Amino acid sequence: MSRTLCIAQESDADELLSTDDFALLVGMMLDQQFPMEHAFRGPWKLADRMGGFDIHRIAAADPAEFEELAATPPAIHRYGRSMGRRVQELAQYILDNYGGNTAGLWTEGDPDGKEVLKRLKKLPGFGDQKARIFLALLGKQRGLAAAGWREAAGAYGEDGSRRSVADVTDAESLTQVREFKKQAKAAAKAK
């Protein structure tokens, strides 16, 4: 699928997310306790500061210098330094386990949806929910054809839902996802 993503709500950042699988994975990792579109702009901020977005350079960067790069305003996350460390851990994991080919997570060995989910859950910074959301994002917007991906993604894989970043295709759908999250939070609080 070659359609440009519209998650960061900024053309340069969305172009990077659309053309670099590791950038998309990093954006997903940063999507916690921080506004979604700002989290997905994080890889673009790093690319701008590093003169490009390269998994090898990220993994090899001096940790203190990379933390500073990540925390420099506007930071990649409200916890810029700790997330900078996590970005480097994620880069090293992909290098060690997939030879730097991020797409290997969902293509190596022709895995089904359950296997892709299992692989995603092993990533630094990815728990069950984040892994399911990213699986749904791959299926809904990046053309993942792994058998059973919708079932493995759970409710996030539902066609036509507005639950997560997997469903954000424009400004209107971002607003709908925010409203869904707001209602879900209110319902949980009411219990």
Side-chain angles (χ1 to χ4, degrees), residues 133-150:
I133 292 167
F134 193 74
L135 178 58
L137 176 59
L138 292 172
K140 289 180 173 183
Q141 296 198 48
R142 301 310 299 156
L144 177 72
W149 73 262
R150 283 189 190 274

Side-chain angles (χ1 to χ4, degrees), residues 50-168:
M50 294 182 78
F53 195 79
D54 181 274
I55 190 171
H56 297 92
R57 285 181 56 216
I58 290 169
D62 174 86
E65 289 176 17
F66 193 78
E67 280 181 30
E68 187 62 33
L69 196 75
T72 297
I76 64 167
H77 193 274
R78 75 166 47 159
Y79 305 114
R81 291 184 190 286
S82 64
M83 286 302 190
R85 286 190 300 274
R86 199 173 276 177
V87 169
Q88 283 193 292
E89 290 171 20
L90 186 60
Q92 194 60 58
Y93 184 92
I94 297 298
L95 288 170
D96 292 347
N97 293 279
Y98 296 95
N101 176 22
T102 305
L105 279 163
W106 54 90
T107 61
E108 200 171 280
D110 195 27
D112 64 10
K114 284 183 184 177
E115 177 61 25
V116 175
L117 180 62
K118 188 169 134 185
R119 292 175 184 183
L120 290 169
K121 286 179 175 183
K122 290 181 180 179
L123 296 174
F126 277 67
D128 182 65
Q129 293 300 310
K130 189 176 292 286
R132 289 177 190 278
I133 292 167
F134 193 74
L135 178 58
L137 176 59
L138 292 172
K140 289 180 173 183
Q141 296 198 48
R142 301 310 299 156
L144 177 72
W149 73 262
R150 283 189 190 274
E151 293 78 11
Y156 299 108
E158 292 174 2
D159 194 29
S161 69
R162 289 291 186 254
R163 295 180 180 276
S164 72
V165 66
D167 304 309
V168 175

